[in-house]
Amino acid sequence: MSQQGQSFMKGTLVLSVAAFINRILGFISGMYIARLLGAEGIGLLMMAHPLVPLVITITELGLPVAISKLVAEAHARGEREKVRRILHVSLAVTSVLSVTLTTLSLLGSEWIASILLSDQRAYYAMLAITPIAPIVAVSAVLKGYFRGMQQMKTIAASDVLEHTVQIACVLALVHLLLPYGVAYAAAGAMAASVVSEAISLLFLVISYKVYGEQKLPGETWASHLKQGRGTLGELLQIGLPTTGHGIIHSLYGTFQPLLITTSLALAGIGTAAATQQFGLLAGFAFPLLFMPSFITQSLSTALIPAIGEAAANKNSLLIHERMNQATSMGLLIGAPATVILYEWATPLTTLIYNAPEAGLLLKILAPMFFLHYFDAPLHAILLGLGRAKAMLWNYIIATVMKGIAIFVLGSQFGIIGVAYGIGIGIVMQALLNFFSISGSIGFYWNIRPYIKVGICSMLMAICGHWTYNYTVSHGMPDLWCVIASIVCSLCLYLITLVLTGTLTWKSARHKFSIPW
């Protein structure tokens, strides 16, 4: 593996470790809030939250993704002044937009609450979370810069710091405000998010002052903004399709529950039962399906500037090397995750949620979700190559087809049909992104590693099935049966990967290497 490839994989590893830590911290924080506020308080939080992601999506204009790509390209060409111009123009645009929209949201907060909030007690929580928009927008711009410079440790440290501070603030504010009522306690939990984001932003600003590009004599904000029209055009060429993707994703997420419950109603399922079945799918199956994707999400974060830098240097060999690393990681993570979620579907949903009926939905979706672990890297490759419009159209087509499949299959076969409809959308999006990349620069497919991983996965499934049945037959508690069988199957998976030469460990450099 080349030195650049090792640097790319190291950045991915750093972000993956940070994402894992943040997941644990987020779980602890969420569990604490849920127990303290109860279902009523959590309901108020959920009502107050949806407006903020839409405001952030609009104010960011997709610039963080564009920044990481353009900064990586400019840095590769040694254009230090352009690197700073990209950052200054982006900060100016996002600051003006975010402050304007946040001010309008605060001034019109009562009117917005009267329309969006079914429970007006959520007004205080909505008011508390609104100021987070400009903080998140500016932080996202700085993170885009650090991604472009491939300084992933800074991003990882800021994320961990944010979640750590959030837990401390939640402990303090919720305890302080709970005696005044659950509405004020929910607002305190929201305010904790604002404080933690502000601390994270402060860390990023200090890091930029210490590690950022030093300005040349005569450089000023005004000079960069005067010469920034062309730079803004480059940013928006990538950013606007990304913004469109975010808006469509937000709108679809808003209407998906209505689409699913309507299709279930046409299948003759009552409202209460439809709500319960939707909860099994969205509340129980989805979190387990998305859990392993934090690694591929971290990979895609590092991949955009890596592909952009290679494209700027016209190094097609390096582009394909990094694409190979990305798809390899997706395969090595996705294969065992799919086996576990399929083989132990019902035991997992029973142990974690006490909902064995969700196991069937998890088993249906797990095989189709295998392609989801490739989709984030494929998405990042398209953005790194500057194919943001292709990415947007692929998402629109897949989302429309997913909606149609959910409605048609759900109205005929109930929640089982809904699960298949969602799976069809996932498969279609991954395939469309793959074909877009193939049509742009080609995609060299070596089938042998996929066959090897497939064989290793089959052996893992057989081992897991036998071990689970063996431990159950000997009267072990369900929890230990699941843990023991999953651990044994994963050990066999790793051993067979090594024996087949699919995975190697270079002890001299302590680098993770996939010799494909």
PDB file of all heavy atoms in Angstrom, residues 164-185:
ATOM      1  N   THR A 164     -18.804  14.778  25.005  1.00  0.00           N
ATOM      2  CA  THR A 164     -18.451  14.743  26.432  1.00  0.00           C
ATOM      3  C   THR A 164     -19.049  15.940  27.167  1.00  0.00           C
ATOM      4  O   THR A 164     -19.639  15.796  28.252  1.00  0.00           O
ATOM      5  CB  THR A 164     -16.919  14.733  26.600  1.00  0.00           C
ATOM      6  OG1 THR A 164     -16.369  13.638  25.863  1.00  0.00           O
ATOM      7  CG2 THR A 164     -16.542  14.608  28.063  1.00  0.00           C
ATOM      8  N   VAL A 165     -18.898  17.119  26.575  1.00  0.00           N
ATOM      9  CA  VAL A 165     -19.455  18.338  27.172  1.00  0.00           C
ATOM     10  C   VAL A 165     -20.978  18.261  27.228  1.00  0.00           C
ATOM     11  O   VAL A 165     -21.599  18.702  28.202  1.00  0.00           O
ATOM     12  CB  VAL A 165     -18.994  19.579  26.381  1.00  0.00           C
ATOM     13  CG1 VAL A 165     -19.723  20.832  26.868  1.00  0.00           C
ATOM     14  CG2 VAL A 165     -17.491  19.769  26.507  1.00  0.00           C
ATOM     15  N   GLN A 166     -21.573  17.670  26.192  1.00  0.00           N
ATOM     16  CA  GLN A 166     -23.033  17.575  26.155  1.00  0.00           C
ATOM     17  C   GLN A 166     -23.564  16.757  27.330  1.00  0.00           C
ATOM     18  O   GLN A 166     -24.559  17.136  27.957  1.00  0.00           O
ATOM     19  CB  GLN A 166     -23.493  16.958  24.837  1.00  0.00           C
ATOM     20  CG  GLN A 166     -25.014  16.926  24.693  1.00  0.00           C
ATOM     21  CD  GLN A 166     -25.454  16.365  23.366  1.00  0.00           C
ATOM     22  OE1 GLN A 166     -24.696  15.693  22.687  1.00  0.00           O
ATOM     23  NE2 GLN A 166     -26.683  16.633  22.985  1.00  0.00           N
ATOM     24  N   ILE A 167     -22.909  15.639  27.628  1.00  0.00           N
ATOM     25  CA  ILE A 167     -23.350  14.822  28.760  1.00  0.00           C
ATOM     26  C   ILE A 167     -23.273  15.611  30.066  1.00  0.00           C
ATOM     27  O   ILE A 167     -24.201  15.599  30.883  1.00  0.00           O
ATOM     28  CB  ILE A 167     -22.495  13.539  28.856  1.00  0.00           C
ATOM     29  CG1 ILE A 167     -22.803  12.611  27.686  1.00  0.00           C
ATOM     30  CG2 ILE A 167     -22.752  12.816  30.176  1.00  0.00           C
ATOM     31  CD1 ILE A 167     -21.967  11.345  27.677  1.00  0.00           C
ATOM     32  N   ALA A 168     -22.163  16.326  30.255  1.00  0.00           N
ATOM     33  CA  ALA A 168     -21.992  17.110  31.485  1.00  0.00           C
ATOM     34  C   ALA A 168     -23.057  18.198  31.580  1.00  0.00           C
ATOM     35  O   ALA A 168     -23.644  18.421  32.663  1.00  0.00           O
ATOM     36  CB  ALA A 168     -20.597  17.732  31.509  1.00  0.00           C
ATOM     37  N   CYS A 169     -23.340  18.875  30.469  1.00  0.00           N
ATOM     38  CA  CYS A 169     -24.340  19.951  30.481  1.00  0.00           C
ATOM     39  C   CYS A 169     -25.749  19.418  30.693  1.00  0.00           C
ATOM     40  O   CYS A 169     -26.571  20.046  31.380  1.00  0.00           O
ATOM     41  CB  CYS A 169     -24.276  20.735  29.171  1.00  0.00           C
ATOM     42  SG  CYS A 169     -22.785  21.730  28.991  1.00  0.00           S
ATOM     43  N   VAL A 170     -26.039  18.266  30.088  1.00  0.00           N
ATOM     44  CA  VAL A 170     -27.359  17.655  30.289  1.00  0.00           C
ATOM     45  C   VAL A 170     -27.564  17.312  31.762  1.00  0.00           C
ATOM     46  O   VAL A 170     -28.621  17.597  32.344  1.00  0.00           O
ATOM     47  CB  VAL A 170     -27.505  16.389  29.407  1.00  0.00           C
ATOM     48  CG1 VAL A 170     -28.685  15.545  29.883  1.00  0.00           C
ATOM     49  CG2 VAL A 170     -27.699  16.775  27.960  1.00  0.00           C
ATOM     50  N   LEU A 171     -26.546  16.710  32.369  1.00  0.00           N
ATOM     51  CA  LEU A 171     -26.638  16.378  33.798  1.00  0.00           C
ATOM     52  C   LEU A 171     -26.950  17.620  34.631  1.00  0.00           C
ATOM     53  O   LEU A 171     -27.806  17.588  35.523  1.00  0.00           O
ATOM     54  CB  LEU A 171     -25.323  15.750  34.263  1.00  0.00           C
ATOM     55  CG  LEU A 171     -25.050  14.310  33.843  1.00  0.00           C
ATOM     56  CD1 LEU A 171     -23.609  13.928  34.177  1.00  0.00           C
ATOM     57  CD2 LEU A 171     -26.013  13.358  34.538  1.00  0.00           C
ATOM     58  N   ALA A 172     -26.259  18.707  34.318  1.00  0.00           N
ATOM     59  CA  ALA A 172     -26.424  19.928  35.118  1.00  0.00           C
ATOM     60  C   ALA A 172     -27.762  20.610  34.848  1.00  0.00           C
ATOM     61  O   ALA A 172     -28.520  20.914  35.785  1.00  0.00           O
ATOM     62  CB  ALA A 172     -25.269  20.887  34.824  1.00  0.00           C
ATOM     63  N   LEU A 173     -28.086  20.859  33.573  1.00  0.00           N
ATOM     64  CA  LEU A 173     -29.259  21.670  33.233  1.00  0.00           C
ATOM     65  C   LEU A 173     -30.581  20.938  33.498  1.00  0.00           C
ATOM     66  O   LEU A 173     -31.541  21.547  33.986  1.00  0.00           O
ATOM     67  CB  LEU A 173     -29.176  22.106  31.769  1.00  0.00           C
ATOM     68  CG  LEU A 173     -28.066  23.121  31.454  1.00  0.00           C
ATOM     69  CD1 LEU A 173     -27.998  23.414  29.962  1.00  0.00           C
ATOM     70  CD2 LEU A 173     -28.295  24.418  32.233  1.00  0.00           C
ATOM     71  N   VAL A 174     -30.634  19.649  33.161  1.00  0.00           N
ATOM     72  CA  VAL A 174     -31.880  18.918  33.384  1.00  0.00           C
ATOM     73  C   VAL A 174     -32.176  18.809  34.875  1.00  0.00           C
ATOM     74  O   VAL A 174     -33.313  19.015  35.324  1.00  0.00           O
ATOM     75  CB  VAL A 174     -31.816  17.524  32.723  1.00  0.00           C
ATOM     76  CG1 VAL A 174     -33.038  16.690  33.110  1.00  0.00           C
ATOM     77  CG2 VAL A 174     -31.748  17.666  31.207  1.00  0.00           C
ATOM     78  N   HIS A 175     -31.153  18.515  35.682  1.00  0.00           N
ATOM     79  CA  HIS A 175     -31.360  18.461  37.133  1.00  0.00           C
ATOM     80  C   HIS A 175     -31.772  19.825  37.679  1.00  0.00           C
ATOM     81  O   HIS A 175     -32.617  19.924  38.586  1.00  0.00           O
ATOM     82  CB  HIS A 175     -30.068  18.007  37.827  1.00  0.00           C
ATOM     83  CG  HIS A 175     -30.009  16.534  38.046  1.00  0.00           C
ATOM     84  ND1 HIS A 175     -30.903  15.857  38.847  1.00  0.00           N
ATOM     85  CD2 HIS A 175     -29.169  15.597  37.551  1.00  0.00           C
ATOM     86  CE1 HIS A 175     -30.619  14.574  38.854  1.00  0.00           C
ATOM     87  NE2 HIS A 175     -29.565  14.383  38.074  1.00  0.00           N
ATOM     88  N   LEU A 176     -31.199  20.876  37.128  1.00  0.00           N
ATOM     89  CA  LEU A 176     -31.494  22.221  37.607  1.00  0.00           C
ATOM     90  C   LEU A 176     -32.913  22.653  37.264  1.00  0.00           C
ATOM     91  O   LEU A 176     -33.591  23.316  38.065  1.00  0.00           O
ATOM     92  CB  LEU A 176     -30.488  23.206  36.997  1.00  0.00           C
ATOM     93  CG  LEU A 176     -30.579  24.668  37.430  1.00  0.00           C
ATOM     94  CD1 LEU A 176     -30.234  24.805  38.911  1.00  0.00           C
ATOM     95  CD2 LEU A 176     -29.655  25.542  36.587  1.00  0.00           C
ATOM     96  N   LEU A 177     -33.402  22.269  36.079  1.00  0.00           N
ATOM     97  CA  LEU A 177     -34.686  22.783  35.579  1.00  0.00           C
ATOM     98  C   LEU A 177     -35.859  21.831  35.788  1.00  0.00           C
ATOM     99  O   LEU A 177     -37.009  22.244  35.639  1.00  0.00           O
ATOM    100  CB  LEU A 177     -34.555  23.115  34.085  1.00  0.00           C
ATOM    101  CG  LEU A 177     -33.567  24.238  33.746  1.00  0.00           C
ATOM    102  CD1 LEU A 177     -33.404  24.377  32.233  1.00  0.00           C
ATOM    103  CD2 LEU A 177     -34.036  25.560  34.343  1.00  0.00           C
ATOM    104  N   LEU A 178     -35.581  20.565  36.093  1.00  0.00           N
ATOM    105  CA  LEU A 178     -36.681  19.599  36.242  1.00  0.00           C
ATOM    106  C   LEU A 178     -37.687  20.002  37.328  1.00  0.00           C
ATOM    107  O   LEU A 178     -38.898  19.777  37.143  1.00  0.00           O
ATOM    108  CB  LEU A 178     -36.107  18.208  36.531  1.00  0.00           C
ATOM    109  CG  LEU A 178     -37.096  17.044  36.444  1.00  0.00           C
ATOM    110  CD1 LEU A 178     -37.741  16.984  35.062  1.00  0.00           C
ATOM    111  CD2 LEU A 178     -36.400  15.716  36.759  1.00  0.00           C
ATOM    112  N   PRO A 179     -37.272  20.601  38.442  1.00  0.00           N
ATOM    113  CA  PRO A 179     -38.272  21.018  39.442  1.00  0.00           C
ATOM    114  C   PRO A 179     -39.284  22.023  38.908  1.00  0.00           C
ATOM    115  O   PRO A 179     -40.382  22.152  39.470  1.00  0.00           O
ATOM    116  CB  PRO A 179     -37.411  21.647  40.552  1.00  0.00           C
ATOM    117  CG  PRO A 179     -36.075  20.991  40.407  1.00  0.00           C
ATOM    118  CD  PRO A 179     -35.900  20.797  38.946  1.00  0.00           C
ATOM    119  N   TYR A 180     -38.947  22.745  37.825  1.00  0.00           N
ATOM    120  CA  TYR A 180     -39.864  23.736  37.256  1.00  0.00           C
ATOM    121  C   TYR A 180     -40.832  23.130  36.235  1.00  0.00           C
ATOM    122  O   TYR A 180     -41.680  23.831  35.696  1.00  0.00           O
ATOM    123  CB  TYR A 180     -39.068  24.863  36.591  1.00  0.00           C
ATOM    124  CG  TYR A 180     -38.193  25.624  37.554  1.00  0.00           C
ATOM    125  CD1 TYR A 180     -36.857  25.284  37.713  1.00  0.00           C
ATOM    126  CD2 TYR A 180     -38.711  26.663  38.326  1.00  0.00           C
ATOM    127  CE1 TYR A 180     -36.032  25.972  38.598  1.00  0.00           C
ATOM    128  CE2 TYR A 180     -37.906  27.354  39.222  1.00  0.00           C
ATOM    129  CZ  TYR A 180     -36.574  27.002  39.354  1.00  0.00           C
ATOM    130  OH  TYR A 180     -35.775  27.684  40.246  1.00  0.00           O
ATOM    131  N   GLY A 181     -40.668  21.835  35.939  1.00  0.00           N
ATOM    132  CA  GLY A 181     -41.564  21.182  34.992  1.00  0.00           C
ATOM    133  C   GLY A 181     -40.802  20.514  33.863  1.00  0.00           C
ATOM    134  O   GLY A 181     -39.665  20.877  33.541  1.00  0.00           O
ATOM    135  N   VAL A 182     -41.466  19.525  33.236  1.00  0.00           N
ATOM    136  CA  VAL A 182     -40.809  18.753  32.191  1.00  0.00           C
ATOM    137  C   VAL A 182     -40.514  19.600  30.962  1.00  0.00           C
ATOM    138  O   VAL A 182     -39.541  19.358  30.240  1.00  0.00           O
ATOM    139  CB  VAL A 182     -41.669  17.515  31.832  1.00  0.00           C
ATOM    140  CG1 VAL A 182     -42.958  17.926  31.124  1.00  0.00           C
ATOM    141  CG2 VAL A 182     -40.884  16.532  30.982  1.00  0.00           C
ATOM    142  N   ALA A 183     -41.334  20.625  30.691  1.00  0.00           N
ATOM    143  CA  ALA A 183     -41.107  21.484  29.524  1.00  0.00           C
ATOM    144  C   ALA A 183     -39.792  22.245  29.662  1.00  0.00           C
ATOM    145  O   ALA A 183     -39.015  22.361  28.700  1.00  0.00           O
ATOM    146  CB  ALA A 183     -42.270  22.462  29.354  1.00  0.00           C
ATOM    147  N   TYR A 184     -39.520  22.754  30.860  1.00  0.00           N
ATOM    148  CA  TYR A 184     -38.263  23.481  31.090  1.00  0.00           C
ATOM    149  C   TYR A 184     -37.070  22.526  31.091  1.00  0.00           C
ATOM    150  O   TYR A 184     -35.977  22.881  30.637  1.00  0.00           O
ATOM    151  CB  TYR A 184     -38.339  24.243  32.407  1.00  0.00           C
ATOM    152  CG  TYR A 184     -39.269  25.427  32.364  1.00  0.00           C
ATOM    153  CD1 TYR A 184     -40.556  25.345  32.887  1.00  0.00           C
ATOM    154  CD2 TYR A 184     -38.868  26.624  31.777  1.00  0.00           C
ATOM    155  CE1 TYR A 184     -41.423  26.421  32.843  1.00  0.00           C
ATOM    156  CE2 TYR A 184     -39.720  27.724  31.734  1.00  0.00           C
ATOM    157  CZ  TYR A 184     -41.003  27.619  32.256  1.00  0.00           C
ATOM    158  OH  TYR A 184     -41.850  28.689  32.204  1.00  0.00           O
ATOM    159  N   ALA A 185     -37.281  21.310  31.597  1.00  0.00           N
ATOM    160  CA  ALA A 185     -36.199  20.319  31.586  1.00  0.00           C
ATOM    161  C   ALA A 185     -35.833  19.932  30.155  1.00  0.00           C
ATOM    162  O   ALA A 185     -34.646  19.780  29.819  1.00  0.00           O
ATOM    163  CB  ALA A 185     -36.610  19.082  32.377  1.00  0.00           C
TER     164      ALA A 185
END
